[in-house]
Each structure stands twice: as structure tokens, then as C-alpha cells.
Amino acid sequence: MMSQQVGTPHSRIAATYKAREVEGALDVYFYRPLGFRLAKFFAQLKVTPAGVSLLGGLFGVIAGHLYFYRNLGINIAGMVLHVCANALDNADGQLARLTHQESREGRIIDSVADHLVFASVYIHLTLRCAFAGASPAIWLLALGAAISHALQGAAADYYRTAFLHFAGGARNGIDSSSALRSDYRKLSWRQRAWDKLLLALYLNFTTQQEILAPRLKKLREAANTVFHGQIPAWLEQRYRNAAGHMLKWWRLLMTNTRMLVLFLLLFLGQPVYYFWFELIPLNLLFVYLIVRQEKMAESLEHLVVVRHSA
């Protein structure tokens, strides 16, 4: 009886995961339990997942501003707010799953909030370096790091979502640019300007993902054509076996790694090296993973076509 009582809260939290395979250790043991408590709190207040996303975005934007100051105490306050922002970023999705309010609009607002947070971080770190006497080249360095960050984050999110689509049973979580473009054309700027703007941002994000991973796009299209949205068990298992071990490397390109490195460099008083960390080691890992994943997708696409022909 005691084991059941102990296990029940954990199982309730686990039910709000996207899938255990895509969760990192810091997520499982810190952010998800905290996010679950926050989700229950916001559910009682009738706050929507989008509202939680925007609140997290506000915390993160303020955190980025606090990184501008060359004062460790102020920077630590920014770190605390940044952790709060990340906890809320976890809580919005958990709230959506807990209250069955998952939607495309919620995913878009969550993505926009994430981009605003790191835009604030990059802008304020660059201003900090510039005011400290850095060369004007710091702007180019920061821009290169920011673009790298955007591409890495887009790819990591795409491959994680693809894993859920092929091996995690989440068949509706992955969108195609063609379907989004069709929906976008149906909306009127005059009548639904906000919805059209959000969809335009999401369409741009999804198009970037598909450009980065053309073979994965072809695999999705082939599987959808052949299996009509129902992934067979053999393909699910093959995808899990081929892609599962790479998830831990993709997680290094997600928010938690960047935050830990940024916090360390702020403690050391050398935030400029955050840009170099983004440009060199993370980009090398990014290229390696893209090549590996695209080869895997090409192989599975060929297998789907061969099995269909047979």
C-alpha cells in the first residue's frame, strides 16, 4: 500500500511529460516536479497555458536585462529569474496536458516567449561587453552566436518532436510547412490579424526546421503516404533504436545546457565566452547530429518505400 502511495504522485507528474525519453535528468528531477506543482496552482486559478508562457517570457526578458550589469549580485538575481522562467516554460506544457488544453496556438506562443527570452539575453550580454570596451566586432560575434542558437534550437526541437511522432505515439505534434501555409492563406489580416501573425511566425519556424532536415521531411511524407498517419510497430521500433541514443546529445543543444554554461561564465565574470561556446562546440555537435540523423532518415525512408513496393 505504501509503495502505491509513493508511486502515485510520481506517475501523475510523469503523465505530464512529453515522453520520458526526451526528458533530461535536470528536467525529471527538478523542472518537471516543480512545473507540475505550478501547473496545478495555475489550473486552480484558471490561468491558461498561454498566460503561463507569457509570464515565463516576462521573467526571462527581465533576467536577460539583469545580465547587463557587471555586478554578481544583480546577475544572480537574473539567474534566479531565469530559472523561474524555465520552470514556467515547463509548467505551461504540463498545464496544457493536465487540463487537456494542448493547441497549436499554445505551442506558437511558447516558442515566441522562448525566443524573446534569449533575444534579451544576447542583446544585454552584447551591450555589457560593448560598454566594457569590447571591439565593435562583438556585435558580429553575438549575431553569429544568436543565429547558431536559433538553428540549433529549431533542429533539436524538430528531431525531438519527430521522435515523439515516430516512436512516442504523439501523431499530432508535428506540423508541415505545406499544411501551415494552407491555413495561413485562409486567414485574413483584417479579421484575424493576431492569429495570422502567430501562424506566420510558426510557419517561418517550421520552414527552417524542414530546410535543416530535408531527409526527415521526406521520411515523414513517405510514412504518411504509405501508412496514412498510422506508424506500424516495426517502424516505431526501428526509429526508436536508431534515434533514441541520439536524444541525449540533442538535449545538449537545449535550454538547460546553455543556462548552466551561462551561469558559470557570469560567476567567472567572462560572459563573452558564452558566444564562443555557442559558435564552436555547440555548432560542431550540431553539424555532427544533423549528418547522423539525416543518414538515419534516408535509410528508413528507403525501407518504407521498399516495404511498400513489396
Side-chain angles (χ1 to χ4, degrees):
M1 180 67 70
M2 184 173 292
S3 63
Q4 288 181 329
Q5 292 175 342
V6 173
T8 299
H10 175 74
S11 62
R12 291 186 65 196
I13 296 172
T16 63
Y17 294 172
K18 290 185 176 179
R20 178 61 182 86
E21 295 95 333
V22 301
E23 306 285 351
L26 193 56
D27 294 314
V28 171
Y29 296 109
F30 178 67
Y31 282 117
R32 288 309 190 191
L34 177 58
F36 181 71
R37 291 179 176 85
L38 289 171
K40 290 199 298 181
F41 171 73
F42 287 119
Q44 291 176 342
L45 296 180
K46 307 297 183 184
V47 179
T48 64
V52 176
S53 297
L54 293 173
L55 179 61
L58 177 62
F59 277 31
V61 168
I62 296 172
H65 172 71
L66 296 181
Y67 297 152
F68 167 77
Y69 302 97
R70 285 182 289 167
N71 179 293
L72 183 57
I74 296 176
N75 293 163
I76 290 174
M79 295 178 209
V80 172
L81 283 177
H82 205 160
V83 170
C84 291
N86 203 27
L88 290 168
D89 187 40
N90 280 264
D92 59 8
Q94 290 176 276
L95 175 62
R97 288 183 284 276
L98 190 67
T99 58
H100 308 290
Q101 297 183 67
E102 294 175 276
S103 67
R104 177 193 288 173
E105 181 181 359
R107 292 197 299 272
I108 298 171
I109 292 175
D110 182 41
S111 177
V112 170
D114 290 343
H115 280 78
L116 289 175
V117 169
F118 271 95
S120 177
V121 170
Y122 278 90
I123 290 169
H124 286 98
L125 287 181
T126 307
L127 288 171
R128 172 177 174 157
C129 294
F131 275 81
S135 162
I138 189 66
W139 293 97
L140 292 176
L141 178 67
L143 179 62
I147 292 173
S148 298
H149 179 151
L151 295 176
Q152 293 162 12
D157 178 76
Y158 193 44
Y159 280 112
R160 186 172 69 163
T161 304
F163 183 86
L164 295 174
H165 175 78
F166 282 102
R171 305 291 183 240
N172 298 320
I174 190 165
D175 292 298
S176 68
S177 61
S178 58
L180 291 174
R181 192 172 292 107
S182 176
D183 291 345
Y184 173 80
R185 288 169 179 163
K186 295 175 185 176
L187 297 178
S188 166
W189 280 111
R190 178 174 296 180
Q191 296 177 343
R192 299 182 63 184
W194 175 246
D195 292 336
K196 196 172 178 73
L197 174 61
L198 288 180
L199 198 53
L201 294 172
Y202 193 48
L203 173 59
N204 179 64
F205 182 67
T206 303
T207 301
Q208 288 180 10
Q209 292 179 318
E210 291 180 350
I211 290 172
L212 287 168
R215 287 294 180 182
L216 177 58
K217 180 175 182 284
K218 289 184 177 180
L219 170 61
R220 285 177 45 225
E221 291 172 346
N224 188 56
T225 299
V226 173
F227 306 119
H228 308 289
Q230 299 297 320
I231 307 299
W234 68 263
L235 179 56
E236 181 175 323
Q237 190 59 50
R238 281 181 177 269
Y239 196 97
R240 181 182 297 275
N241 292 341
H245 69 282
M246 285 187 277
L247 287 173
K248 63 179 180 293
W249 300 110
W250 280 116
R251 283 196 290 268
L252 294 177
L253 298 178
M254 301 298 283
T255 300
N256 290 342
T257 303
R258 290 186 174 89
M259 285 178 62
L260 291 172
V261 172
L262 175 60
F263 290 177
L264 174 62
L265 292 172
L266 285 168
F267 272 110
L268 296 175
Q270 298 292 335
V272 67
Y273 289 109
Y274 175 76
F275 300 141
W276 291 111
F277 171 72
E278 184 67 68
L279 280 169
I280 300 176
L282 290 190
N283 267 339
L284 289 174
L285 177 60
F286 172 55
V287 172
Y288 167 75
L289 288 174
I290 284 284
V291 171
R292 286 285 305 275
Q293 291 269 186
E294 284 293 277
K295 287 182 178 179
M296 177 209 75
E298 182 178 14
S299 175
L300 290 177
E301 180 201 356
H302 176 72
L303 192 57
V304 167
V305 172
V306 167
R307 288 219 174 188
H308 178 60
S309 300

